[in-house]
C-alpha cells in the first residue's frame, strides 16, 4: 500500500457559529463519503472540563494550556472518554459550552491543540467542523465552507435539542447565551470566527439539514479530484 503525502489527503473544513448545524452536516457528509470526522469544539470542551476536574482555574492560561497538552482521550463513534471516564454528556451542557469558549480564547491553549487536530488528517479524507478549521488548522483544505443561520433559527434549533434531551430551555435565555458566545468567538484576538474569501457560504436558515448535506456533497464532487 502506498502512503499518501498528508497534504494530498482531502479535507472538507466547515466553520460557523454555534448551533448553525455544522456538526450534523459535517458528520453526515463524512459518513456519505466514508471520510473521518473531527469535532474540534469537543477538544475545547474537554480541555475546560479536564481543567475543572483537576482544580485548575480557567483564568490561568498556562495551566489550562498544560491540561490541553496532556489530555488523555479516547474517541468512539458515539462517546468520548477522558481519563477513563465517559464524559460525552458532561461536555454538552450550557456551562461546558461557555467554559469551552473561555479557554478557546487563549492562544497557548489553541496551539497546544493544533497538532492533535492535524493528526486527524488520515486517508481517505477528513471532514472537520469548528471555528478555525479553514483559517488556521487546515489552510490548504480542498473545500472550505462557512455554515451559518440567523440567530433566531439557531436559537430555536438549540432550544429543541435541549428539550429533546429532557432539559428545560427558554428561548430568550438561549438567544442570550448564543449571542455571548458568538461575540466572544468572533472578537477574540486569536483565530476569530470569520468567513474566508475562498470559503463557500451556506446559510441554513431556510433549508433543511438534508439539503445542506446535498449542497456540501455537490461542492465536494466539484473540488475534490478523488471523488
Ligand atoms: O456546537 P457548538 O457550535 O455550540 O460548539 P462547539 O463547536 O462544540 O465549540 C465550543 C466552543 O469551542 C466554541 O464556542 C468556541 O469558542 C470553541 N471552538 C474554537 O474556538 N475553535 C474551534 N475550532 C472549535 C470550537
Amino acid at each position: 500500500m502506498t502512503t499518501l503525502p498528508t497534504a494530498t489527503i482531502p479535507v472538507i473544513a466547515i466553520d460557523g457559529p454555534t448551533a448553525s448545524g455544522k456538526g450534523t452536516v459535517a458528520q453526515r457528509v463524512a459518513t456519505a463519503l466514508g471520510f473521518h470526522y473531527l469535532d474540534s469544539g469537543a477538544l475545547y470542551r474537554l480541555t475546560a472540563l479536564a481543567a475543572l476536574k483537576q482544580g485548575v482555574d480557567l483564568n490561568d492560561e498556562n495551566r489550562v494550556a498544560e491540561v490541553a497538552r496532556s489530555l488523555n482521550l479516547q474517541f468512539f463513534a458515539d462517546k468520548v472518554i477522558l481519563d477513563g471516564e465517559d464524559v460525552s454528556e458532561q461536555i454538552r451542557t450550557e456551562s461546558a459550552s461557555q467554559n469551552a469558549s473561555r479557554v478557546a480564547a487563549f492562544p497557548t491553549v489553541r496551539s497546544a491543540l493544533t497538532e492533535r487536530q492535524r493528526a486527524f488528517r488520515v486517508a481517505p479524507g477528513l471532514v472537520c467542523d469548528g471555528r478555525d478549521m479553514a483559517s488556521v488548522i487546515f489552510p490548504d483544505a480542498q473545500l472550505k465552507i462557512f455554515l451559518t443561520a440567523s440567530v433566531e433559527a439557531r436559537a430555536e434549533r438549540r432550544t429543541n435539542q435541549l428539550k429533546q434531551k429532557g432539559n428545560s430551555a427558554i428561548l430568550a435565555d438561549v438567544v442570550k447565551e448564543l449571542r455571548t458566545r458568538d461575540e466572544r468567538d468572533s472578537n477574540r484576538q486569536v483565530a476569530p470566527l470569520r468567513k474566508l474569501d475562498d470559503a463557500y457560504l451556506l446559510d441554513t436558515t431556510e433549508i433543511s439539514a438534508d439539503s445542506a448535506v446535498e449542497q456540501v456533497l455537490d461542492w465536494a464532487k466539484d473540488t475534490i479530484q478523488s471523488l
Side-chain angles (χ1 to χ4, degrees), residues 15-23 39-45 91-92 94 96-105 110 117 129-133 137 158 161 178 181-182 184-185 188 190-191:
D15 291 303
T18 181
S20 52
K22 60 191 186 311
D39 166 9
S40 65
L43 294 173
Y44 293 95
R45 292 170 180 271
I91 60 166
R92 296 290 155 198
E94 187 47 43
S97 305
Q98 295 293 348
N99 290 339
S101 168
R102 282 174 58 194
V103 302
R110 303 196 71 83
Q117 293 173 83
D129 76 73
R131 305 293 187 288
D132 63 342
M133 295 297 93
I137 305 298
R158 181 52 51 91
Q161 258 175 14
L178 288 188
R181 202 138 62 88
D182 282 354
R184 196 190 289 121
D185 293 346
R188 66 188 177 207
V190 61

Side-chain angles (χ1 to χ4, degrees), residues 137-199:
I137 305 298
F138 301 110
D140 62 341
Q142 282 79 352
L143 175 58
K144 300 178 178 182
I145 294 166
F146 189 82
L147 199 151
T148 189
S150 69
V151 173
E152 293 73 20
R154 294 190 284 123
E156 211 177 296
R157 284 176 201 163
R158 181 52 51 91
T159 307
N160 290 339
Q161 258 175 14
L162 290 168
K163 283 185 179 159
Q164 270 165 19
K165 284 190 192 162
N167 300 314
S168 65
I170 299 166
L171 190 64
D173 293 345
V174 175
V175 169
K176 221 166 96 187
E177 282 153 5
L178 288 188
R179 286 214 158 102
T180 311
R181 202 138 62 88
D182 282 354
E183 227 168 83
R184 196 190 289 121
D185 293 346
S186 306
N187 296 324
R188 66 188 177 207
Q189 294 291 317
V190 61
L193 172 68
R194 66 193 161 93
K195 182 195 166 299
L196 301 182
D197 289 341
D198 60 348

Side-chain angles (χ1 to χ4, degrees), residues 23-45:
T24 307
V25 172
Q27 262 172 301
R28 286 178 50 183
V29 169
T31 304
L33 298 176
F35 280 14
H36 301 276
Y37 168 61
L38 164 65
D39 166 9
S40 65
L43 294 173
Y44 293 95
R45 292 170 180 271

Side-chain angles (χ1 to χ4, degrees), residues 15 46-47 76 90 128 180 192 200 210:
D15 291 303
L46 286 157
T47 299
F76 296 94
Q90 289 177 55
C128 50
T180 311
Y200 288 91
D210 284 350

